[in-house]
Amino acid sequence: TGNGRGPALPSSARGASEDPPGVGRRAVPLGARGTSLRAPDQIMHEMHRALKNLRVGFKQASPSLVKCERKGVRFDLQICPAETAEPTYTVKVQRVAGEHGAYRELSSLVLSEMQL
């Protein structure tokens, strides 16, 4: 590798700093589905509806945080204010435990089911 920095690392060994902004090693890219102009209580209601429809076990830990589990995959859904001029909220998804591929699939299903 003639750049003097040693061999290139495979994408799995690269640091989170090389990921797109806002997308960490355990985050799921949200796109438009994870952003809403609805009030946080309406977003929480929609989270509950989607999780029940998909038969994902969950417990509301706070007014903005839901802890979820299904088939060994545990993840959190959190309502966060977006950094915009409008009163917009983002649903942040973070894996807590379980196989990474199963987490990505399940969290994508949950976000797709939510009508934000």
Side-chain angles (χ1 to χ4, degrees):
T1 66
N3 63 10
R5 292 187 287 172
L9 295 174
S11 61
S12 62
R14 293 182 188 146
S17 62
E18 293 187 29
D19 290 333
V23 178
R25 291 163 84 68
R26 298 189 328 177
V28 171
L30 298 177
R33 285 192 312 243
T35 304
S36 179
L37 293 171
R38 290 183 177 193
D41 61 323
Q42 294 173 324
I43 297 171
M44 183 60 69
H45 179 76
E46 187 56 26
M47 273 187 205
H48 286 211
R49 185 198 64 77
L51 292 166
K52 286 176 187 174
N53 283 354
L54 294 170
R55 294 187 169 102
V56 175
F58 66 93
K59 178 180 179 181
Q60 187 169 337
S62 77
S64 64
L65 178 66
V66 175
K67 296 188 171 284
C68 309
E69 182 171 5
R70 181 171 163 198
K71 295 182 181 178
V73 176
R74 289 187 299 154
F75 61 97
D76 294 341
L77 295 173
Q78 185 170 18
I79 302 168
C80 304
E83 296 178 12
T84 63
E86 299 178 32
T88 306
Y89 295 90
T90 300
V91 177
K92 177 182 168 188
V93 185
Q94 187 163 1
R95 184 175 66 92
V96 175
E99 200 274 322
H100 196 75
Y103 154 73
R104 290 186 69 82
E105 183 178 330
L106 181 56
S107 58
S108 292
L109 275 173
V110 171
L111 289 172
S112 295
E113 181 71 20
M114 291 176 61
Q115 297 173 3
L116 298 176

